[in-house]
Amino acid sequence: MGGLQKKKYERGSATNYITRNKARKKLSLSLPDFRRLCILKGIYPHEPKHKKKVNKGSTAPRTFYLLKDIRFLLHEPIVGKFREYKVFVRKLKKAYGKTEWSSVERLKENKPVYKLDHIIKERYPSFIDALRDIDDALCMCFLFSTFARTGKCHVQTIQLCRRLTVEWMNYVIASRALKKVFISIKGIYYQAEAMGQLITWLVPYQFSHDHPTDVDYRVMATFTEFYTTLLGFINFRLYHSLNLLYPPKLDVKAESELKEENDDDYAMNSESYLEKLSALSASLARVVSTAEEEEAELDQFPVEGEDMANMEAREREQKQEEAQKKLFEGLKFFLNREVPRESLAFLIRCFGGEVSWDKSVCIGSTYEVTDETITHQIVDRPNIDKQYINRYYIQPQWVYDCVNAKIILPVEDYFLGVTLPPHLSPFVEEKDGDYVPPEKLKIMALQRGEKPAHEQEDEEEEEDDDEEEEEEEEEEEEDNEEGEDDEEAEEKNLKKMEEQRSQGKSLTVKVTAGKVKVENPARLEQEEKAEEKRLAIMMMKKKEKYLYDKIMFGKKRKVREANKLAAKRKAHDDAEKSKKKARK
Amino acid sequence: MEESSSSGTRSGAQRPKMKEKEPEKSVKKRNKEEEEEEEIFDFTKKSQEEDEDEEDEDASDSEDSVFSGLEDSGSDEDEEEEELSDDEDEEEVDLRVEPRHTQQVETGTVKKTEKEEEEKKKEKTETDEVEGGATEEAKREDEYVHDSSDEEDIRNTVGNVPMEWYRDFPHIGYNLDGKKIYKPIRNKDELDDFLDKMENPDYWRTVPDKQTGSDVVLSDEQVQLVNRLQRGQFGDANFNEYEPQVEFFSRDVMLHPVTNRPADKRSFIPSLIEKEKVSKLVHAIKMGWIKPRRVEDDSRGRYYDLWANEDSSILARHKMHLPAPKIPLPGHQESYNPPPEYLFTDEERAMWEQQDPCDRKLPFVPRKFSSLRQVPAFSRFIHERFERCLDLYLCPRQRKMRVNVNPEDLIPKLPKPKDLQPFPTTQSLVHTHTHTHTHTMCTGSDDGSVRFWEVCSSRCLRTVQVGGAVKSLAWNPNLSVCLLAVALDSVVLVLSPSLADRQVVLSSERLLSAPQEAEPNEGAGPVTWSETEGEELTQGIRLKIQHPKAVQQVTWHAKGDYLASVMPDHSSHMQVLIHQLSRRRSQNPFRKNKGLVQCVSFHPVRPYFFVGTQRSVRIYNLVHVILWFGAARLCFLQVIRHHKKAVRGVAYHRLYPLFASSAPDDGPVRLVQAVYNTTPYTTLIRSHYSITGAVLQHASTTRIYTLTTDHLQNPLLVPVKVLRGHDITADLGVLDVTFHPTQPWVFSSGADATVRLFT
């Protein structure tokens, strides 16, 4: 027998993977540095198909990376920078230890720095790729921008995050890209559409953070480092796509207005500029100083194979979108000091409204409370002393609900001191069979243009429909059993007769008039179909049957959950009604 | 307060001494009495009535001072202690200080001398400073001038000793003549003191002198001096601390050198040490160890159009790259003001709390706030972000194909049962108490009776008592004879019920009587044939075939002449016997035991014989007596898993493509129709469904086999009906099913002691 003996684990999947520790050694990096590198380069572990094979026979839990990935990391210039940094830290420590202050200073001046531009270009070869991955970056930057300027991370990082998020918000305002917004218990979710990509981000409420101890801030800081670079480049590109200046400049007109009012409040001009930008009240300067560009009407080209109805639907959709963009146009808002200013100002400006606030709340207010042209004042307190007669005093939820409903909702439900209607998530898209809260049905009716006067009836009707459907479902199930019941009854009769016959031989023969069985043809048909289906299910193959059962189980669970919600709602409504009656 | 009380105790302690010292004073007696009272106070009510205590004490103090100057020193000491302890009670200090105040007049002269002395001292220091370069001898003399003993108050010669040593004495020192200086008599009480404080404008600058025990009023200069010293300034107001410095060595070249020393040689020679240092630096720069100061690089945080030239060089990596899935979007329950149905009830909340965090459906409890301003910060916000970060860089990613199937597509498309009629659909007759012979059906039961029924009317035609529980019975398939084989215990009976046409009865009689001629020459076999007589004969029992063991099943050959019986037994090779009716002969076809035989069957058309054991089905060719090994020719068709429990009975129809199965533990009879795309009916079915699931009696499946696959391409089995009707008694439902030989009717016998006909 010729040939060399084949050794185990020298070919195949064992050679394609590398454990984390080996990878770390191969790159000669410490674990934190390796981690940082993985984060920056977007390298993630892989789960091999046959873990034991890859693990060379051992079943110990290990993290595996693709060997290709690690080889790819070997060529990364940042790895060299990491090593340099390590040396720098060592030197610095030594200098401190020897109290050589001059060398400490010299070393500090020559602290190695690295840039992440090339990594971003490499990870996202096209702009759209980068835009698609921006959700996490925005969430993180918004979180970091709310951190206190002490402790957990560098002040520069926080400032940079703040700057970038302000730029992003200004872009969203300028492009009117916001689509949905949702106040959750975690924070406020926003969804915008930039260049055809839906981007969702979450902004925490403006409170100081209770920093948890079981969170590794180094990891978060590394992510933030990457995200800030990414977001910066994206902002740049987005601003240029709208012909806006970057870094953002305020409109000349707006700037002069702002200058008049509060020039002396802020000592440093540079400081106040960011503040002014973050006030979100003024429009931005454009590269080409043409006034509002008229958006070119999109020409409609009928696409081959697309019928007219389809096209019309698309057109309608576009129109609706346009209308949504101008939702608050012509309305003038004033924010009381207790409402979240930034969020509301952002929203209102996104949809073309004018907004202002008290001068002492923030820089950049454009008009006073006393302005007679204000149409809506947003208030979040039980009552207010001095009320102007020609404006609505509404609670902040109105703005959010309007944005989600894409129409101006009636203000009555949102007046001061009124119990607010539930705030629904705009991200939930109910398919048929799912539970739809009645409030959503109401809003949908409003969107369709139905009058709110019919609201109540509609609601009830719809509810009734639901119930009926449910009942029908139940009936269906019962039907099958009913058929059996009939038979059983018949049988019992027969039995009785037989017994009689066997006991007393003299049969009292009697002919009674038969009853005409009323047969519902529709029901019969249904029954037949159900029976057919059941028989067909019997004939399924084992594999398919398993899958079918699983799917049906899931469906049933969904229905059960929906029913549960509906029942809960009904119980709640009944309780409310009875309470109302009791009050009367 | 504490202090005062402590001082009180101290004074109490002092008192006995005083008594010793001045026993002669008569006034003291009264005093003593008071003191005793005080003592009582001290020990008993100290804690309770401290205020009173204090007052008492103060009073006693002042009284003491009235009578003698003795207490004065004691009070002094008190003051000192008070000074030591930080919290001074000012009033008390005042009270203590006051008595000395009156003595100021007496000691006025003394003070003056003091002042003078101080002035002198100042002068001295000044002169010292001025005469910086005085001769050394003069300095030596001055040493004595500065001697501390000279500095001391010349009126009191006690020297530099602590004055508290004189506390218990009436005097405080000695004058130059060696006479005692007595302590000034304190004749001021609290009231005087207070008045003094109120009236005397100099009260604030009155200071007690320890050495003389007298009070000194400080002059303006002295007060000023004290103030300056307190502020940390020089004592002399005229002293200028910031005199302009006389530049001794200046940049101006002076006419004359400051020193006339000639320059060193080393000042002309370049420094070696410096050279070394420079060369070190040069070397370091050359080697690149020291870098020039870096130009401040502000390109960090400066952005440009990174994707300006979008080269479409998408690496293979990018194709392989899996972007991380986005965070799921929030539902209604995450709202700050959700609809009421999304809030947790108490039970749900309790359950949520009990669950393991990873099992929870929602990672948070839905909450409702009546307005936006009441919404607090989300405490796990940073946690959630961090977990997302961990997911991004620590989780292995995998592409998972999600099957998106419409469940309706999974259901096989079968022909409608309606189109496959005829098959029994409705229960038409119930026979209370199986095998059918065109219009007669017979049943055998455990009570030892075989009953014959008319199918169309369900009338019991005859009952034959066979004397034992009937295990199995079978009609002769040959329509020209009317014979029934019944298996009970170890006997197989052949009955001629004579219920049919006369011709048929005659032909069957002929068949039974035929074998007379052939003698049972091999009578040595295990089976004995016997004809019945008497009553049994009248009942219609014609033949008795006695077997050695219990018979489980009987079955007829299609021609009606042969009969096979099964005696299941593990150990014996004699499990199956084939009897020939016309010749009254029996034979054991097998030499070997191939497993426990469950049932046997003749092929309806071909000369095949099937033997079903627990594990296999064997097919034997009766003509050539060649054994075919089962699977070779047996073609497995399909598994039907319609029953949830064990299948006990199966039947196929002779003419129609119908097939029925029953599972006694399950209940209903299920009908299956087989449909073939080419030749659907009769013979095929008859020939091919020869043996069935009876083999697999305890599995919940029915297996259908065909003999050959030639004509059977894509056989299709369609379930057409589930027939219900039997009650389940003792966990048993339908025991057996049989088809009517010509009509598409099915009979089912159940454990509820009924036979039902479905048409």
Side-chain angles (χ1 to χ4, degrees), chain A residues 527-556:
Chain A
E527 261 176 55
E528 213 165 273
K529 267 193 184 158
E531 168 107 23
E532 255 173 53
K533 198 176 165 189
R534 234 175 305 127
L535 290 171
I537 287 168
M538 283 195 331
M539 282 310 288
M540 264 188 194
K541 279 172 197 158
K542 199 174 169 188
K543 219 174 177 180
E544 286 174 351
K545 183 85 196 293
Y546 177 74
L547 186 59
Y548 180 82
D549 282 348
K550 237 178 150 183
I551 293 172
M552 290 321 270
F553 177 76
K555 274 192 168 177
K556 266 183 196 162

Side-chain angles (χ1 to χ4, degrees), chain B residues 157 177 476 631 663 672:
Chain B
T157 56
D177 303 330
N476 194 323
V672 178

Side-chain angles (χ1 to χ4, degrees), chain B residues 114-142:
Chain B
E114 262 186 353
K115 262 185 242 167
E116 283 168 9
E117 267 202 6
E118 276 174 0
E119 279 168 10
K120 260 190 217 165
K121 270 185 230 163
K122 271 181 218 161
E123 279 170 15
K124 264 182 217 160
T125 51
E126 276 171 15
T127 50
D128 276 359
E129 278 165 9
V130 173
E131 303 164 6
T135 54
E136 287 186 346
E137 287 115 273
K139 270 181 188 169
R140 255 173 231 155
E141 277 174 15
D142 274 346

Side-chain angles (χ1 to χ4, degrees), chain B residues 30 122 198 378 448 452 535 562 727:
Chain B
R30 204 196 70 192
K122 271 181 218 161
M198 288 289 113
F378 186 61
F452 296 86
E535 198 186 328
Y562 289 93
D727 293 330

Side-chain angles (χ1 to χ4, degrees), chain A residues 444-463:
Chain A
M444 272 152 66
L446 279 173
Q447 278 170 338
R448 266 180 266 130
E450 286 168 32
K451 294 213 170 140
H454 298 295
E455 240 173 68
Q456 294 275 330
E457 291 167 28
D458 276 355
E459 201 181 306
E460 277 167 24
E461 270 173 36
E462 266 159 311
E463 267 179 28

Side-chain angles (χ1 to χ4, degrees), chain B residues 226-347:
Chain B
V226 169
N227 282 341
R228 287 178 67 81
L229 288 176
Q230 272 177 340
R231 262 181 267 142
Q233 289 170 329
F234 278 91
D236 187 5
N238 300 323
F239 178 68
N240 186 6
E241 305 164 52
Y242 306 107
E243 291 272 357
Q245 191 190 349
V246 181
E247 296 269 336
F248 206 64
F249 298 97
S250 70
R251 61 193 168 88
D252 303 326
V253 180
M254 285 188 283
L255 191 60
H256 301 289
V258 180
T259 59
N260 217 1
R261 212 168 119 232
D264 285 326
K265 185 189 175 187
R266 65 170 180 266
S267 63
F268 300 105
I269 300 169
S271 158
L272 267 178
I273 300 166
E274 276 177 10
K275 189 185 166 193
E276 209 172 301
K277 274 187 179 165
V278 168
S279 67
K280 254 187 185 173
L281 285 174
V282 167
H283 183 61
I285 290 170
K286 268 186 188 168
M287 296 302 285
W289 297 334
I290 295 180
K291 286 184 191 105
R293 188 167 294 165
R294 202 179 42 198
V295 187
E296 196 51 54
D297 185 15
D298 61 341
S299 62
R300 254 171 82 87
R302 172 164 295 178
Y303 304 109
Y304 51 91
D305 195 355
L306 190 68
W307 294 279
N309 43 350
E310 271 190 34
D311 47 344
S312 57
S313 66
I314 292 170
L315 303 170
R317 287 185 48 74
H318 295 121
K319 277 183 216 153
M320 289 294 293
H321 178 72
L322 299 176
K326 295 193 171 185
I327 292 181
L329 291 169
H332 296 313
Q333 58 269 33
E334 207 180 309
S335 168
Y336 88 105
N337 182 15
E341 60 267 32
Y342 288 98
L343 292 172
F344 278 171
T345 58
D346 290 342
E347 299 143 33

